[in-house]
Amino acid sequence: MYNFADYVKRASLFVNNNFNSSNKKLSTFMIYATDLCDSGCKHCLIWAKNPVVHLPKAKILELMNSKCVTKNTTVGLEGGEFLLHPEAFEIMEWFHKNHPKFDLLTNCLKPESAIEAVKKYPPKRLFLSLDGTKETYKYMRGKDGYESVLKVIEGTKDIVPISAMFTLSPYNSFDDMKHVAAVCKKYGIDLRVGVYNDIAFFDTVEKAHETDIAEKQNTDILKRVEILNAKKDGTFTKKNEELAVLEREEINIPKHNTRDDFSSFKDSIPQEIKEFAENYDFLVLYDEWRKKKLKLNCYSILDSLIVLPNGDVPICQNLDLKLGNVNKKSLDEIFNGESTQAIHEDYKKNCNQCWINFHRKYDVVLYRSFEKFFPKNVVNKLFGYYQWEENNEVTYSNYMERIEDTYK
């Protein structure tokens, strides 16, 4: 999905954004345009947000006129379910004409609408959510949408590049991952594997990294009315937002109490995953991170940003630390202002609190790429102390070779 030119462009941004912190440019800009959603996912409760909020088309176009957004910035249109935004088609039409480097993310529950949108205003890439078999899909997402996803794949695979997004979670299994890999191979599309995280905006219930893979497969399907009632009477439990504002010395500690007794799941990863780039190493390294043996600094926050439906701009997808709100300040003021520069300087060197693919895949590629040309001690000096596993002398190449030998 990503070619050499993409990495060259992002590398040039890395240099600019590190040494010109008041004039940073965005590589990726994800617009959560609405929190309206027609799904009922167990791993994300956006669908239960009330009242529903939309980021207006006028505001989105204003954001696109920001100096930090360039013609090379990849914009992601998502939600909730983006296609439920009242101005969805108008927004896509504008992007198709004025900023064709945009991606569309959809759950495909309205397949005809998704296919029509892609045909009228083709995005650069189409991302579809698929988390397992037909049975797992209904259980995990609360809707019988498996066939709708296949319908969208069949209706658009010859129009745009497609990635199926699989989220490994307490609600599905490695068998589900293997199934989705087989679907992707059948249709000749890409696979993007992510790991469940209790992201602030998603209002999740289960603690990520404290609940093992497939541990919650037999729990009841969540119901919207039950969630709304629980919120009203105060019995709804969401993660403590104060976790986003940690003491300085605690920043490099994973924000969850990751279990020390996790059994390794490396040998459970389907071999088919190796056929899809940047997924296998992401998973085996996650296994190290959740056991508190891996540390990578976070540089993706310097060129990747999200905006929420209410205009809030958090520092990243994981933390609830807000940099500002686009209804009160311009995006350029928020992203490149002095206060953000100070926050970025601190967090890029010290944060090791998540394993979200939107951020950590970039960091993995950054470190492993520089290790190809420089000794590990030199990379340490360039980007700060890091380690792939318990032995801090091991390089990425050494680590992956050992994993290959161990789990053949």
PDB file of all heavy atoms in Angstrom, residues 161-184:
ATOM      1  N   PRO A 161      -7.583   1.122  -4.668  1.00  0.00           N
ATOM      2  CA  PRO A 161      -6.899   0.173  -3.786  1.00  0.00           C
ATOM      3  C   PRO A 161      -7.687   0.045  -2.482  1.00  0.00           C
ATOM      4  O   PRO A 161      -8.192   1.036  -1.962  1.00  0.00           O
ATOM      5  CB  PRO A 161      -5.535   0.827  -3.535  1.00  0.00           C
ATOM      6  CG  PRO A 161      -5.366   1.821  -4.638  1.00  0.00           C
ATOM      7  CD  PRO A 161      -6.741   2.297  -4.963  1.00  0.00           C
ATOM      8  N   ILE A 162      -7.786  -1.173  -1.971  1.00  0.00           N
ATOM      9  CA  ILE A 162      -8.577  -1.426  -0.765  1.00  0.00           C
ATOM     10  C   ILE A 162      -7.707  -2.068   0.313  1.00  0.00           C
ATOM     11  O   ILE A 162      -6.882  -2.931   0.034  1.00  0.00           O
ATOM     12  CB  ILE A 162      -9.760  -2.360  -1.069  1.00  0.00           C
ATOM     13  CG1 ILE A 162     -10.703  -1.739  -2.098  1.00  0.00           C
ATOM     14  CG2 ILE A 162     -10.520  -2.703   0.212  1.00  0.00           C
ATOM     15  CD1 ILE A 162     -11.845  -2.665  -2.520  1.00  0.00           C
ATOM     16  N   SER A 163      -7.924  -1.639   1.543  1.00  0.00           N
ATOM     17  CA  SER A 163      -7.339  -2.298   2.706  1.00  0.00           C
ATOM     18  C   SER A 163      -8.469  -2.740   3.627  1.00  0.00           C
ATOM     19  O   SER A 163      -9.353  -1.949   3.944  1.00  0.00           O
ATOM     20  CB  SER A 163      -6.415  -1.351   3.474  1.00  0.00           C
ATOM     21  OG  SER A 163      -5.175  -1.197   2.835  1.00  0.00           O
ATOM     22  N   ALA A 164      -8.426  -3.997   4.039  1.00  0.00           N
ATOM     23  CA  ALA A 164      -9.341  -4.477   5.066  1.00  0.00           C
ATOM     24  C   ALA A 164      -8.668  -4.242   6.414  1.00  0.00           C
ATOM     25  O   ALA A 164      -7.536  -4.674   6.632  1.00  0.00           O
ATOM     26  CB  ALA A 164      -9.647  -5.955   4.861  1.00  0.00           C
ATOM     27  N   MET A 165      -9.358  -3.559   7.312  1.00  0.00           N
ATOM     28  CA  MET A 165      -8.797  -3.266   8.628  1.00  0.00           C
ATOM     29  C   MET A 165      -9.300  -4.292   9.637  1.00  0.00           C
ATOM     30  O   MET A 165     -10.503  -4.385   9.898  1.00  0.00           O
ATOM     31  CB  MET A 165      -9.186  -1.858   9.058  1.00  0.00           C
ATOM     32  CG  MET A 165      -8.626  -0.772   8.159  1.00  0.00           C
ATOM     33  SD  MET A 165      -8.904   0.884   8.817  1.00  0.00           S
ATOM     34  CE  MET A 165     -10.692   0.957   8.831  1.00  0.00           C
ATOM     35  N   PHE A 166      -8.368  -5.054  10.188  1.00  0.00           N
ATOM     36  CA  PHE A 166      -8.678  -6.075  11.186  1.00  0.00           C
ATOM     37  C   PHE A 166      -8.146  -5.617  12.533  1.00  0.00           C
ATOM     38  O   PHE A 166      -6.968  -5.284  12.670  1.00  0.00           O
ATOM     39  CB  PHE A 166      -8.049  -7.409  10.799  1.00  0.00           C
ATOM     40  CG  PHE A 166      -8.230  -8.486  11.845  1.00  0.00           C
ATOM     41  CD1 PHE A 166      -9.329  -9.326  11.796  1.00  0.00           C
ATOM     42  CD2 PHE A 166      -7.309  -8.646  12.879  1.00  0.00           C
ATOM     43  CE1 PHE A 166      -9.507 -10.319  12.759  1.00  0.00           C
ATOM     44  CE2 PHE A 166      -7.485  -9.632  13.843  1.00  0.00           C
ATOM     45  CZ  PHE A 166      -8.587 -10.466  13.784  1.00  0.00           C
ATOM     46  N   THR A 167      -9.010  -5.597  13.560  1.00  0.00           N
ATOM     47  CA  THR A 167      -8.595  -5.225  14.908  1.00  0.00           C
ATOM     48  C   THR A 167      -8.559  -6.459  15.796  1.00  0.00           C
ATOM     49  O   THR A 167      -9.594  -7.055  16.091  1.00  0.00           O
ATOM     50  CB  THR A 167      -9.556  -4.185  15.516  1.00  0.00           C
ATOM     51  OG1 THR A 167      -9.595  -3.018  14.697  1.00  0.00           O
ATOM     52  CG2 THR A 167      -9.088  -3.788  16.913  1.00  0.00           C
ATOM     53  N   LEU A 168      -7.364  -6.864  16.208  1.00  0.00           N
ATOM     54  CA  LEU A 168      -7.207  -7.987  17.121  1.00  0.00           C
ATOM     55  C   LEU A 168      -7.611  -7.535  18.521  1.00  0.00           C
ATOM     56  O   LEU A 168      -7.120  -6.512  19.013  1.00  0.00           O
ATOM     57  CB  LEU A 168      -5.753  -8.458  17.117  1.00  0.00           C
ATOM     58  CG  LEU A 168      -5.422  -9.687  17.962  1.00  0.00           C
ATOM     59  CD1 LEU A 168      -6.154 -10.920  17.434  1.00  0.00           C
ATOM     60  CD2 LEU A 168      -3.916  -9.924  17.987  1.00  0.00           C
ATOM     61  N   SER A 169      -8.496  -8.269  19.158  1.00  0.00           N
ATOM     62  CA  SER A 169      -9.102  -7.757  20.388  1.00  0.00           C
ATOM     63  C   SER A 169      -9.509  -8.887  21.337  1.00  0.00           C
ATOM     64  O   SER A 169      -9.373 -10.073  21.001  1.00  0.00           O
ATOM     65  CB  SER A 169     -10.357  -6.944  20.027  1.00  0.00           C
ATOM     66  OG  SER A 169     -11.432  -7.814  19.698  1.00  0.00           O
ATOM     67  N   PRO A 170     -10.047  -8.524  22.495  1.00  0.00           N
ATOM     68  CA  PRO A 170     -10.585  -9.558  23.387  1.00  0.00           C
ATOM     69  C   PRO A 170     -11.827 -10.228  22.814  1.00  0.00           C
ATOM     70  O   PRO A 170     -12.283 -11.243  23.347  1.00  0.00           O
ATOM     71  CB  PRO A 170     -10.939  -8.771  24.664  1.00  0.00           C
ATOM     72  CG  PRO A 170     -10.097  -7.535  24.612  1.00  0.00           C
ATOM     73  CD  PRO A 170     -10.022  -7.198  23.155  1.00  0.00           C
ATOM     74  N   TYR A 171     -12.387  -9.672  21.729  1.00  0.00           N
ATOM     75  CA  TYR A 171     -13.669 -10.139  21.197  1.00  0.00           C
ATOM     76  C   TYR A 171     -13.526 -11.022  19.959  1.00  0.00           C
ATOM     77  O   TYR A 171     -14.516 -11.520  19.428  1.00  0.00           O
ATOM     78  CB  TYR A 171     -14.552  -8.944  20.851  1.00  0.00           C
ATOM     79  CG  TYR A 171     -14.642  -7.922  21.959  1.00  0.00           C
ATOM     80  CD1 TYR A 171     -13.971  -6.711  21.866  1.00  0.00           C
ATOM     81  CD2 TYR A 171     -15.384  -8.177  23.108  1.00  0.00           C
ATOM     82  CE1 TYR A 171     -14.041  -5.769  22.886  1.00  0.00           C
ATOM     83  CE2 TYR A 171     -15.456  -7.250  24.125  1.00  0.00           C
ATOM     84  CZ  TYR A 171     -14.779  -6.042  24.015  1.00  0.00           C
ATOM     85  OH  TYR A 171     -14.843  -5.121  25.027  1.00  0.00           O
ATOM     86  N   ASN A 172     -12.309 -11.182  19.450  1.00  0.00           N
ATOM     87  CA  ASN A 172     -12.085 -12.085  18.322  1.00  0.00           C
ATOM     88  C   ASN A 172     -10.778 -12.836  18.543  1.00  0.00           C
ATOM     89  O   ASN A 172     -10.198 -12.768  19.630  1.00  0.00           O
ATOM     90  CB  ASN A 172     -12.115 -11.338  16.986  1.00  0.00           C
ATOM     91  CG  ASN A 172     -11.069 -10.236  16.901  1.00  0.00           C
ATOM     92  OD1 ASN A 172     -10.242 -10.061  17.797  1.00  0.00           O
ATOM     93  ND2 ASN A 172     -11.106  -9.471  15.824  1.00  0.00           N
ATOM     94  N   SER A 173     -10.309 -13.554  17.534  1.00  0.00           N
ATOM     95  CA  SER A 173      -9.169 -14.443  17.754  1.00  0.00           C
ATOM     96  C   SER A 173      -8.235 -14.459  16.556  1.00  0.00           C
ATOM     97  O   SER A 173      -8.502 -13.849  15.517  1.00  0.00           O
ATOM     98  CB  SER A 173      -9.673 -15.862  18.014  1.00  0.00           C
ATOM     99  OG  SER A 173     -10.264 -16.385  16.819  1.00  0.00           O
ATOM    100  N   PHE A 174      -7.135 -15.213  16.701  1.00  0.00           N
ATOM    101  CA  PHE A 174      -6.197 -15.371  15.597  1.00  0.00           C
ATOM    102  C   PHE A 174      -6.816 -16.174  14.459  1.00  0.00           C
ATOM    103  O   PHE A 174      -6.433 -16.017  13.304  1.00  0.00           O
ATOM    104  CB  PHE A 174      -4.908 -16.031  16.085  1.00  0.00           C
ATOM    105  CG  PHE A 174      -4.039 -15.110  16.895  1.00  0.00           C
ATOM    106  CD1 PHE A 174      -4.002 -15.195  18.268  1.00  0.00           C
ATOM    107  CD2 PHE A 174      -3.270 -14.137  16.262  1.00  0.00           C
ATOM    108  CE1 PHE A 174      -3.209 -14.345  19.015  1.00  0.00           C
ATOM    109  CE2 PHE A 174      -2.468 -13.272  16.997  1.00  0.00           C
ATOM    110  CZ  PHE A 174      -2.431 -13.365  18.374  1.00  0.00           C
ATOM    111  N   ASP A 175      -7.779 -17.027  14.765  1.00  0.00           N
ATOM    112  CA  ASP A 175      -8.497 -17.739  13.700  1.00  0.00           C
ATOM    113  C   ASP A 175      -9.280 -16.746  12.848  1.00  0.00           C
ATOM    114  O   ASP A 175      -9.386 -16.907  11.625  1.00  0.00           O
ATOM    115  CB  ASP A 175      -9.447 -18.777  14.298  1.00  0.00           C
ATOM    116  CG  ASP A 175      -8.714 -19.994  14.837  1.00  0.00           C
ATOM    117  OD1 ASP A 175      -7.573 -20.237  14.395  1.00  0.00           O
ATOM    118  OD2 ASP A 175      -9.280 -20.689  15.699  1.00  0.00           O
ATOM    119  N   ASP A 176      -9.848 -15.721  13.493  1.00  0.00           N
ATOM    120  CA  ASP A 176     -10.544 -14.675  12.740  1.00  0.00           C
ATOM    121  C   ASP A 176      -9.566 -13.897  11.866  1.00  0.00           C
ATOM    122  O   ASP A 176      -9.887 -13.526  10.732  1.00  0.00           O
ATOM    123  CB  ASP A 176     -11.256 -13.720  13.701  1.00  0.00           C
ATOM    124  CG  ASP A 176     -12.460 -14.358  14.375  1.00  0.00           C
ATOM    125  OD1 ASP A 176     -13.337 -14.849  13.648  1.00  0.00           O
ATOM    126  OD2 ASP A 176     -12.500 -14.377  15.611  1.00  0.00           O
ATOM    127  N   MET A 177      -8.377 -13.646  12.396  1.00  0.00           N
ATOM    128  CA  MET A 177      -7.352 -12.963  11.611  1.00  0.00           C
ATOM    129  C   MET A 177      -6.990 -13.781  10.370  1.00  0.00           C
ATOM    130  O   MET A 177      -6.851 -13.241   9.265  1.00  0.00           O
ATOM    131  CB  MET A 177      -6.098 -12.733  12.469  1.00  0.00           C
ATOM    132  CG  MET A 177      -4.995 -11.963  11.747  1.00  0.00           C
ATOM    133  SD  MET A 177      -3.434 -11.913  12.694  1.00  0.00           S
ATOM    134  CE  MET A 177      -3.932 -10.941  14.118  1.00  0.00           C
ATOM    135  N   LYS A 178      -6.835 -15.082  10.574  1.00  0.00           N
ATOM    136  CA  LYS A 178      -6.513 -15.973   9.457  1.00  0.00           C
ATOM    137  C   LYS A 178      -7.622 -15.945   8.412  1.00  0.00           C
ATOM    138  O   LYS A 178      -7.361 -15.935   7.203  1.00  0.00           O
ATOM    139  CB  LYS A 178      -6.303 -17.399   9.979  1.00  0.00           C
ATOM    140  CG  LYS A 178      -5.856 -18.386   8.922  1.00  0.00           C
ATOM    141  CD  LYS A 178      -5.542 -19.741   9.544  1.00  0.00           C
ATOM    142  CE  LYS A 178      -5.037 -20.718   8.499  1.00  0.00           C
ATOM    143  NZ  LYS A 178      -4.682 -22.033   9.111  1.00  0.00           N
ATOM    144  N   HIS A 179      -8.860 -15.907   8.863  1.00  0.00           N
ATOM    145  CA  HIS A 179      -9.998 -15.852   7.944  1.00  0.00           C
ATOM    146  C   HIS A 179      -9.970 -14.570   7.106  1.00  0.00           C
ATOM    147  O   HIS A 179     -10.160 -14.614   5.879  1.00  0.00           O
ATOM    148  CB  HIS A 179     -11.307 -15.935   8.720  1.00  0.00           C
ATOM    149  CG  HIS A 179     -12.516 -15.751   7.863  1.00  0.00           C
ATOM    150  ND1 HIS A 179     -13.108 -16.794   7.168  1.00  0.00           N
ATOM    151  CD2 HIS A 179     -13.249 -14.635   7.571  1.00  0.00           C
ATOM    152  CE1 HIS A 179     -14.139 -16.335   6.485  1.00  0.00           C
ATOM    153  NE2 HIS A 179     -14.255 -15.029   6.712  1.00  0.00           N
ATOM    154  N   VAL A 180      -9.735 -13.438   7.763  1.00  0.00           N
ATOM    155  CA  VAL A 180      -9.714 -12.169   7.041  1.00  0.00           C
ATOM    156  C   VAL A 180      -8.547 -12.132   6.055  1.00  0.00           C
ATOM    157  O   VAL A 180      -8.678 -11.600   4.945  1.00  0.00           O
ATOM    158  CB  VAL A 180      -9.645 -10.988   8.030  1.00  0.00           C
ATOM    159  CG1 VAL A 180      -9.462  -9.659   7.280  1.00  0.00           C
ATOM    160  CG2 VAL A 180     -10.914 -10.936   8.876  1.00  0.00           C
ATOM    161  N   ALA A 181      -7.403 -12.705   6.431  1.00  0.00           N
ATOM    162  CA  ALA A 181      -6.269 -12.780   5.514  1.00  0.00           C
ATOM    163  C   ALA A 181      -6.645 -13.569   4.264  1.00  0.00           C
ATOM    164  O   ALA A 181      -6.273 -13.200   3.137  1.00  0.00           O
ATOM    165  CB  ALA A 181      -5.070 -13.420   6.203  1.00  0.00           C
ATOM    166  N   ALA A 182      -7.418 -14.643   4.448  1.00  0.00           N
ATOM    167  CA  ALA A 182      -7.861 -15.457   3.311  1.00  0.00           C
ATOM    168  C   ALA A 182      -8.804 -14.660   2.406  1.00  0.00           C
ATOM    169  O   ALA A 182      -8.736 -14.759   1.175  1.00  0.00           O
ATOM    170  CB  ALA A 182      -8.543 -16.728   3.810  1.00  0.00           C
ATOM    171  N   VAL A 183      -9.684 -13.868   3.004  1.00  0.00           N
ATOM    172  CA  VAL A 183     -10.581 -13.005   2.217  1.00  0.00           C
ATOM    173  C   VAL A 183      -9.769 -12.017   1.399  1.00  0.00           C
ATOM    174  O   VAL A 183     -10.044 -11.806   0.209  1.00  0.00           O
ATOM    175  CB  VAL A 183     -11.557 -12.256   3.152  1.00  0.00           C
ATOM    176  CG1 VAL A 183     -12.343 -11.198   2.356  1.00  0.00           C
ATOM    177  CG2 VAL A 183     -12.517 -13.231   3.822  1.00  0.00           C
ATOM    178  N   CYS A 184      -8.757 -11.418   2.021  1.00  0.00           N
ATOM    179  CA  CYS A 184      -7.924 -10.432   1.323  1.00  0.00           C
ATOM    180  C   CYS A 184      -7.162 -11.074   0.167  1.00  0.00           C
ATOM    181  O   CYS A 184      -7.028 -10.484  -0.913  1.00  0.00           O
ATOM    182  CB  CYS A 184      -6.952  -9.773   2.301  1.00  0.00           C
ATOM    183  SG  CYS A 184      -7.751  -8.702   3.524  1.00  0.00           S
TER     184      CYS A 184
END
